[in-house]
Amino acid sequence: MITLLAIDWAVVGIKAGQLILCLSILVVLHEMGHFLPAKWFKCRVEKFYLFFDPWFSLVKKKIGDTVYGIGWLPLGGYVKISGMIDESMDKEQMKLPPEPWEFRSKKPWQRLIIMIGGVTVNLILGFFLFAMILWHWGEEYLPAKNVVYGVYVDSLGKSIGLKDGDKIMAVNGKEIENFSRLSTDIILNEAKTINIIRDGQAIDLPIPTGTISQLIQRKGDPLAYPRFPAVVDSVNNSAKFTAGTLQKDDQIIGFNDQPIGSFYELSDIKKNYKEKEVSLTVLRNHADTVTVKVKLTADASIGFYPRPPDKFLKFDVKKYTFLESLPAGVKKGWNTLVMNVQNFKLLFTSKEVKASESLGSFLTIGNMFGAQWDWERFWTMTALLSIVLAFMNILPIPALDGGHVLFTLYEMITGRKPSDKFMEYAQMAGMILLLGVMAYALGLDFWRYLFKH
């Protein structure tokens, strides 16, 4: 059965706003990376656009030789450099004799610098943002050894043999430093075993075939959650108590006579009781057991704010001085780049990783932003996407910067320049390929986010 998902338009608006701001920053700076070297080498730049402008522009103004504008289609942006085969497919200009101010008249090394300018800016931006995030907020993470209550696992975790309360210590024998990277470590290392402690005994669990594919389909949802008690920090206005009330410091230990061992277990169970009255067993004052009845809301909320996990689990926080943050930011950005290269490689080398499960459009990207505006998360996402944009753009595909770089390197090595006709056909083929992939990814996202089985 297929049902249309309920949509919280306020959350959609917040996520869309963050996505558009993020894309605007990335696109403008990426195109600036092409624009500035083009001007340095005295190329004429006809257009500088944030977003695409088929048929009409939202805003445009000509200054000197360049029209600056904002398009209505937020799928990227572009600079149109005279004498260059690009998205505009301006064939008429290419039929005329080359002019000194055209891209095609410049030396190969100058054209190469112009073409790698956008990727270079995105890499530098990603490194810089990671550095500033570390400098301002530091780095907070939960070492696996500090998950003292063990883990809570759902059906996927249980299918590979994990149990609630297990302490996950290592993957393929390598200690997990950051618990939040558990799924990533399994995917990137194509791990065969998870090393756990259960009831004081060390156990090596084999990872069944198909687990990596399922982890990728989860789009960031972890394989296991760190357990911590479901303790009330405060009660909010949405609570609809029908018998008794929750109080600060109450610990929920039962739900409709089912024992509750952790906050995530409570979160999982209550999903099936939307707008229904339920009975909660509560431990009060660490000694008394009381019963509270409450009607859940339409989104299965009980009506309380939980005590956060850092009150039960010891998170490590590393602070950085400004000078320390710079190499640390470069390292984090480089590790992000390596992770993206490894993920891309898995599409071609792993039997478990499928493009249909890994691809996503702007809907997937937008959903990665927070439901509330959080600057740390926003800048982290912007840094991540800047690195991703750099990697994707340098792929040797016509219509991407990497395609132009490939042809320019060929010219520099062989001394033979590809013909304009060849470049036109290559650009057209590349654009068809990219548009096809984008359409496919968008179709997958509509299926994932608008419908559920």
Side-chain angles (χ1 to χ4, degrees), residues 288-418:
D288 302 325
T289 301
V290 299
T291 299
V292 174
K293 294 186 177 181
V294 62
K295 183 178 180 181
L296 302 192
T297 64
D299 60 356
S301 171
I302 293 173
F304 74 96
Y305 296 110
R307 186 166 296 170
D310 60 4
K311 299 299 182 181
F312 304 99
L313 305 171
K314 184 181 178 182
F315 285 73
D316 284 356
V317 180
K318 185 173 182 180
K319 294 292 185 180
Y320 295 84
T321 65
F322 178 76
L323 292 179
E324 289 173 337
S325 72
L326 298 177
V330 171
K331 181 180 179 181
K332 189 167 185 177
W334 180 257
N335 289 339
T336 301
L337 178 61
V338 170
M339 183 179 69
N340 276 279
V341 173
Q342 290 175 327
N343 277 333
F344 187 74
K345 178 183 174 184
L346 287 175
L347 288 174
F348 304 97
T349 61
S350 175
K351 295 179 180 179
E352 295 191 37
V353 179
K354 301 176 183 178
S356 61
E357 298 167 354
S358 304
L359 283 176
S361 70
F362 286 103
L363 294 179
T364 291
I365 297 172
N367 204 47
M368 294 167 68
F369 288 91
Q372 296 178 331
W373 201 292
D374 181 328
W375 282 111
E376 181 179 4
R377 184 168 181 172
F378 171 81
W379 289 119
T380 299
M381 281 298 305
T382 302
L384 170 65
L385 291 175
S386 191
I387 300 293
V388 171
L389 183 61
F391 170 64
M392 297 305 295
N393 263 283
I394 205 62
L395 292 175
I397 299 173
L400 293 177
D401 295 344
H404 291 281
V405 168
L406 178 66
F407 296 136
T408 304
L409 288 174
Y410 169 82
E411 178 185 350
M412 294 173 71
I413 294 169
T414 65
R416 295 193 298 272
K417 184 177 181 180

Side-chain angles (χ1 to χ4, degrees), residues 104-143:
R104 55 180 167 163
S105 299
K106 302 305 175 182
K107 296 177 181 178
W109 66 268
Q110 293 175 322
R111 285 184 270 124
L112 181 64
I113 290 175
I114 292 172
M115 291 317 305
I116 65 173
V119 168
T120 302
V121 167
N122 282 130
L123 282 177
I124 293 173
L125 176 64
F127 296 160
F128 175 77
L129 288 179
F130 277 131
M132 294 301 97
I133 291 165
L134 293 175
W135 179 43
H136 189 273
W137 285 285
E139 187 174 24
E140 183 178 71
Y141 62 96
L142 178 64

Side-chain angles (χ1 to χ4, degrees), residues 27 50 141 167 219 343 382 434:
V27 169
L50 168 64
Y141 62 96
K167 296 180 180 179
K219 298 296 180 185
N343 277 333
T382 302
L434 292 178

